[in-house]
Amino acid sequence: MIIYIIVPRRMKNIALLMGSLFFYAWGEPRYIILMIIQISINYILGLLIEYSYEVKNNKKMAKGYMIISVIFGLGILGYYKYADFFIENFNNITGLNIELLKVALPVGISFYTFQTLSYTIDVYRRQVKAQKNYINLAMYITMFPQLIAGPIVRYTDIKAKLTDREYSMEQIAYGIRRLVIGLFKKVIIANTLGEIVVQYNNTDEKTVIYTWIYAISVSLQLYYDFSGYSDMAIGLGSMLGFDFPENFRHPFEAKSATEFWRKWHITLGSFFRDYLYIPLGGNRVGNIRYIFNILIVWMATGLWHGAAWNFVIWGLYFAVFLIIEKYILKTYLEKTKIVGHIYLCIIVMISFVIFSADNIASGIDTICMMFGHSVALSGIKTLYCIKNYGIIILMAVIGSTHIPISIYMRAKKIKYIDKIMDVCEVVAIMLIMVAVTAFLVSGSYNPFLYFRF
């Protein structure tokens, strides 16, 4: 960061590119060449698409280059992420015993593949001009804050900032606040909730209340883990002069599955909407085709998260609720906000039990236990968990709402209080950094959950 700040403006993109490549190579040295190949091919294809339009005046040729980009990107992603999944299922269906490839998954490949695809598709759609400077395009794709786990930053989001961005103390101060908030979410809250999840999975005392605590904890862990990373990425981006899109907006305050997915992993949802759902026809089609479109999009959303059937079921699970809401529940949920909120929280917790399960069978077993199947209501270990983790769970629930930021903003409007709060904010940031450092030093290695996607 220091090198980036002190280098001349004309050298900042090169410095950021080199730093980002070093950052990725530090964790995945084997796959840095793969990333450079993807960048180079899409750089060339972007230029060829624009050449097809402006020199040849041939949309068909441009479309051909765009299709090559899509096939190449999805082919690379498919090989590294899904090859063994398809081989294993093919063996199960046919009874054959084809040996698995055992290909290691490059970290962040789902995210940067989608970024390269959005770039070439947007050039084909003539929404942006092809980037003629290789360094600028490579820097956009490899930018280290969002490279590993998003948010999915489209080329159209930051194309202007690639060559003309401002730096200010306000941006840096904002970036530091978001970075520290993200660290707090991940290290203090998500990791602590993760302890509850681990203890539940390892205990032989599965009770109804304990299973609901587990469902709440695993849902909030996923939220704080991923939204924490997104906050860190947005904060680092601001410090570098970029405005990355928000990825979460208090999703647990939603009152329907439809609203939830407008607030959870926003950049992924908008990607599938613009590059899959709308090209399929969106909602401008008949009922049967609309249902088909929803099922395809959400099966793809599930598969994007991982090569396992529980992810596919998780995606289709949400598809079913989205369809039901459109045709049956929409009006009712809009009138009964409290009921809608309870309904949403229950279906989301069930969904993340499926999402986090080792397999479909274990996920179903956990859901059954949530509703009292073959287990007691409570027990000694359940009470122990409530005693030790009740406060952190309550803090996590409140923190997932708009209440903390609402209290903060109201206090800032009170005369003289705002000055006191400015000082308190600086002190709070320093205290959080001390606490985070202490947790990291004393705790075990606990990577971001979305690194595996």
Side-chain angles (χ1 to χ4, degrees), residues 225-242:
D225 190 279
F226 193 23
S227 69
Y229 186 97
S230 294
D231 284 335
M232 293 169 64
I234 291 168
L236 287 168
S238 180
M239 294 165 69
L240 296 169
F242 294 94

Side-chain angles (χ1 to χ4, degrees), residues 45-74:
L45 289 171
L47 293 176
L48 289 173
I49 290 169
E50 191 161 285
Y51 171 82
S52 301
Y53 279 122
E54 297 190 354
V55 177
K56 295 295 186 179
N57 193 28
N58 190 328
K59 184 177 180 179
K60 187 175 181 180
M61 181 185 293
K63 185 175 183 179
Y65 290 128
M66 183 272 291
I67 291 173
I68 291 173
S69 172
V70 172
I71 292 174
F72 174 76
L74 294 182

Side-chain angles (χ1 to χ4, degrees), residues 17 21 26 39 88 223 276 279 304 336 343 349 384 389 400 433:
L17 173 60
L21 290 174
W26 184 271
I39 293 168
E88 184 177 356
Y223 167 71
L276 182 58
W304 180 87
T336 57
Y343 146 84
M349 282 189 283
Y384 177 82
Y389 294 102
S400 68
M433 285 303 300

